Every structure is written in structure tokens, then in C-alpha cells.
Amino acid sequence: MSADPPVGAGADQEPVVVRLAGGLPGWVLRAGIGVVALVVAGILYAEGVMVAPLVLYLGLAGVTAAIPASAAVALLVAYPAVAIVVQGGPPVRPGVLVLVALVHLLHVLCAYAALIPVHSRVHPKALRAAGLRFLLVQAGVLVLAALLLLVPGGRTGETVEVVALVSAVGLVVGAVALLRRRS
């Protein structure tokens, strides 16, 4: 990679050459999208999703890997959730928890692949903060899943439902109020 000569340098000086060592090529992120999508398709197949929808999913994954800054990313992330809901079954099970982590990883990979050109290089240390956020979010998901397993099944009383609804509305109103105060 060559840079322009420093300002004020004469025409007789040679340009400064900067060589960057290490790092991974930018296409590795796009390949990661394909690999993670293949694993997601495998888990969906193990959960009982038929082959035809999985072929469509893998085609969508190919489009997303080629153009990660497109709307295909939203479909790639939403597709497994819809497929699992259509399949039915208990909401907290190992396959679903693994899919949550993998779909989140797909989302992060697509975000970085959209920003980093294919022919550039990215150093793994540059992704450390995103990796830490990913791990913290997944730890929170596992804690919430564990709490859900502790909740008894069956019908919930009307009083509890009303209190939960009022609490949810209160949280939304509080979040909106906090966001308005910031801006």
C-alpha cells in the first residue's frame, strides 16, 4: 500500500510505503457467514425442518455472503426463528438455544462484513470488543433461559397477567422517557 508523499515534500522524494503485517483477509468474514449458515441449516434439519426450505435458506445465505449490506441479512436472521416456530415444540430446548447464539453470530458477521471490503485485511484484535459484547449477550440469554425453565407451566392467573402487562407498558414508557431526555 503506498501513500502520498508528506505535505511539503519535493517531487524528487519517493512515496512512503507502509506495509501492514498480519490480519485476515476481508473475505474471511463472508466465508464465516456461509459456514455459520450451514451449521444453522444443519440444526434446523435436526429440529425437523424439511429440505426444500433449507435449500432456500442456503441460497439466501449465499446472497447474504455476497452482499452483506443488503436486506437479505434481515431474512437470514428471521428465517430460523420462523422455521422453529412453525415446527413447534418447547420454546427452551438445546436446539433453540444454539440457534439463538448462531443467529446472533450471523448478525455480527454480516455487520462487519458489510463494513470491511473483501480485499482488505482485518486484525482479530479489532474484533475483540465485538466478541466480548457477543459473549455478554449470550450469557444473558442463557441466564434468562434458565429462569424460564424455573417458571411453572400451565395457565397463569388473570391478576398476574394484568400486573405483567402494566409492568411491560411501564417499562416501555420509562424507556421512551429516558430516550427523549437524552436527545
Side-chain angles (χ1 to χ4, degrees), residues 34-133:
V35 169
V36 174
L38 277 172
V39 174
V40 168
I43 292 171
L44 289 174
Y45 182 74
E47 289 287 328
V49 177
M50 293 188 310
V51 174
L54 293 177
V55 170
L56 291 173
Y57 181 73
L58 292 175
L60 182 62
V63 170
T64 303
I67 314 167
S70 69
V73 175
L75 294 173
L76 189 72
V77 169
Y79 198 105
V82 171
I84 285 294
V85 168
V86 169
Q87 281 305 114
V92 180
R93 58 185 189 264
V96 172
L97 294 176
V98 171
L99 280 175
V100 167
L102 290 175
V103 168
H104 183 201
L105 181 60
L106 270 176
H107 179 263
V108 171
L109 284 172
C110 289
Y112 277 97
L115 295 173
I116 298 171
V118 177
H119 299 294
S120 66
R121 298 191 72 75
V122 60
H123 201 282
K125 286 183 181 179
L127 303 175
R128 184 178 294 163
L132 181 61
R133 280 191 305 270

Side-chain angles (χ1 to χ4, degrees), residues 155-163:
R155 179 87 174 126
T156 306
E158 292 86 13
T159 307
V160 174
E161 288 181 0
V162 170
V163 169

